[in-house]
Amino acid sequence: NISATSININNGAKTGTWNDTDKQMEFTDSTVWKYQLWNAIATAGQGGHRGYGGKTISYIRDNVASYISSDNPDIILLLIGINGGTTSELDTLVSNIFTAKPGVKLIVAELTPKSTPDASLTVLNNYITGTLVPAYKNQGRIIESVDLYSMFLDSNGNIDTSKLSNGVNHPTN
């Protein structure tokens, strides 16, 4: 629920002031919510978002065709695998997405790190950029990847836990 002076996120109301110059809400707790992109997408009738915390690749894979049928997206940003999954399951999910909507533009996000190195995330990230995306591009699909891992590293290449809001796996603003 959004108004000119407040937003209700997960039943927790935040109040602030709308800054029309910067097109952002400036909240009393010093956080800022920039929503120019969200607003533009919503205005175009594509303001939907499906986030399923704690779900696995196989759960989304089994339901993605109905989501696409219901939402009819032009672009899908896919961030999945943090809660487990294999390269084969990810490939099947992407195949199901393109079967459900062959012309969709798909952006597959690399996984963000956890506070301690996790080999399974590295395997999935390398697969996304080195195998999955190139294979579907070679089939003529519109697919890209986005790096959401390296921004969480310090100058020495170590995971910077100060960028994780809970110190474990959730990004800060």
Side-chain angles (χ1 to χ4, degrees), residues 34-55:
K34 297 181 182 228
Y35 79 97
Q36 301 95 313
L37 178 59
W38 176 86
N39 190 45
I41 291 169
T43 301
Q46 294 290 318
H49 172 270
R50 289 191 180 264
Y52 297 97
K55 299 299 183 191

Side-chain angles (χ1 to χ4, degrees), residues 52-65:
Y52 297 97
K55 299 299 183 191
T56 62
I57 292 173
S58 59
Y59 175 86
I60 304 300
R61 177 202 62 218
D62 293 344
N63 294 285
V64 73

Side-chain angles (χ1 to χ4, degrees), residues 82-83 112-115 152 163-171:
I82 294 169
N83 295 312
T112 57
K114 295 180 180 177
S115 58
F152 293 92
K163 295 180 179 180
L164 301 171
S165 65
N166 64 353
V168 179
N169 63 343
H170 291 273

Side-chain angles (χ1 to χ4, degrees), residues 140-162:
R141 303 296 186 180
I142 304 168
I143 185 170
E144 295 292 337
S145 64
V146 62
D147 178 0
L148 294 184
Y149 191 90
S150 65
M151 68 182 69
F152 293 92
L153 303 179
D154 63 20
S155 60
N156 296 318
N158 299 311
I159 297 165
D160 183 351
T161 57
S162 71

Side-chain angles (χ1 to χ4, degrees), residues 77-146:
L77 172 60
L78 182 66
L79 171 58
I80 194 161
I82 294 169
N83 295 312
T86 66
T87 57
S88 176
E89 288 174 323
L90 182 57
D91 179 64
T92 302
L93 170 58
V94 170
S95 176
N96 288 357
I97 289 170
F98 284 124
T99 298
K101 187 153 185 186
V104 73
K105 296 167 185 75
L106 180 61
I107 303 167
V108 183
E110 289 182 45
L111 307 178
T112 57
K114 295 180 180 177
S115 58
T116 55
D118 183 328
S120 65
L121 298 183
T122 303
V123 167
L124 280 170
N125 283 344
N126 290 339
Y127 176 74
I128 289 166
T129 59
T131 304
L132 182 79
V133 170
Y136 281 93
K137 277 187 173 189
N138 286 339
Q139 295 175 17
R141 303 296 186 180
I142 304 168
I143 185 170
E144 295 292 337
S145 64
V146 62

